Amino acid sequence: MSRTEFFRALHRRRRPDDPLVLAGAWDAVSARVFADAGFPALATPSAGVAASLGYADGRTPAREMFAAVTRIARAVDVPVSADVEDGYGLAPKELVERLLEAGVVGCNLEDSRGEVLKDPHEHADWLAEVRAAAGASLFVNARIDTFVRGVASPEAAIERAALYVAAGADCVYPILAPPVTLPLLRAGIAGPINVFGDPTDGPTPADLGTLGATRVTFGPGLLRCATEALREIATDLAP
């Protein structure tokens, strides 16, 4: 079984209280820590990688993002999925080639550019081109940004999800969907659902799974936890 097949299989036949939990590695060191802790796969957060490279979220040049993702994937033996934001304007074929060269098994692709939601039909067409270029070699997680962009209606997320699944997305990610909406999203969406979790507060991954999550990721949350721990150590050691 290839890494991609293994990663895809991790999303199947899960108990409601046992969603797939993916730690968000921002560099090779954090990736090794998470892999050694027993995570079966990792997912890079673009905001976390950006912070580690000294950029604001959304400002990382494509070449630096792919270089960082390559280092992370090379550092561990578990599958890695990469958040590559909106694809950096790359044509689908080139985007797929860059991802495969980086050694990852999947990707997050968001449906907004800057702070503006894309037309869902045009985005679905683009996702279909990515799927056609990738075949079965990449697990495509289609991020849905409606809740981030102030569209609170779960129905709007469900409509986009239907288009993206029809286009070939393996999973959809209504980022920042309020937990109360998850049962409705679960009922209306075919296939796996990625849910944003907080590693220190709010519902646990098991809780989110019971509400409808297939998998849980934390964005840059684990980096923020590590940064806070380092800040406390530095404060204690500083003269």
Side-chain angles (χ1 to χ4, degrees):
M1 179 183 292
S2 71
R3 282 192 182 188
T4 305
E5 291 170 335
F6 173 71
F7 186 68
R8 190 170 277 113
L10 288 173
H11 295 75
R12 299 181 187 137
R13 295 184 295 278
R14 305 199 69 90
R15 297 196 319 269
D17 64 345
D18 182 35
L20 174 61
V21 180
L22 300 178
W26 57 91
D27 61 11
V29 172
S30 61
R32 292 191 186 104
V33 167
F34 296 139
D36 289 346
F39 285 93
L42 306 177
T44 69
S46 60
V49 173
S52 75
L53 296 174
Y55 293 102
D57 186 19
R59 299 293 185 180
T60 310
R63 67 182 182 281
E64 294 197 43
M65 181 62 75
F66 283 109
V69 167
T70 300
R71 289 190 293 271
I72 290 168
R74 189 173 57 215
V76 294
D77 292 328
V78 300
V80 175
S81 181
D83 180 350
V84 288
E85 303 179 277
D86 66 353
Y88 307 111
L90 298 172
K93 185 175 184 295
E94 183 179 359
L95 175 61
V96 168
E97 289 172 351
R98 298 282 291 276
L99 287 163
L100 294 177
E101 287 171 0
V104 300
V105 302
C107 60
N108 276 18
L109 294 169
E110 61 196 50
D111 65 352
S112 59
R113 179 171 289 114
E115 297 184 358
V116 179
L117 283 167
K118 298 179 182 178
D119 177 272
H121 294 277
E122 292 179 1
H123 187 62
D125 290 343
W126 182 75
L127 286 174
E129 292 183 49
V130 173
R131 168 54 67 213
S137 61
L138 287 174
F139 185 99
V140 177
N141 187 35
R143 201 179 94 174
I144 299 170
D145 286 1
T146 49
F147 293 102
V148 177
R149 304 304 171 203
V151 181
S153 164
E155 289 75 16
I158 291 171
E159 290 172 3
R160 285 177 176 256
L163 291 170
Y164 303 162
V165 170
D170 296 287
C171 182
V172 295
Y173 181 15
I175 188 171
L176 296 189
V180 69
T181 68
L182 293 181
L184 181 59
L185 293 173
R186 176 67 282 166
I189 294 175
I193 300 175
N194 188 146
V195 172
F196 182 89
D198 187 326
T200 61
D201 193 20
T204 66
D207 293 335
L208 293 173
T210 300
L211 290 171
T214 308
R215 81 182 202 184
V216 177
T217 54
F218 306 102
L222 292 167
L223 169 61
R224 290 169 182 161
C225 290
T227 301
E228 186 56 37
L230 184 59
R231 181 176 291 110
E232 292 180 6
I233 295 171
T235 299
D236 289 342
L237 292 176

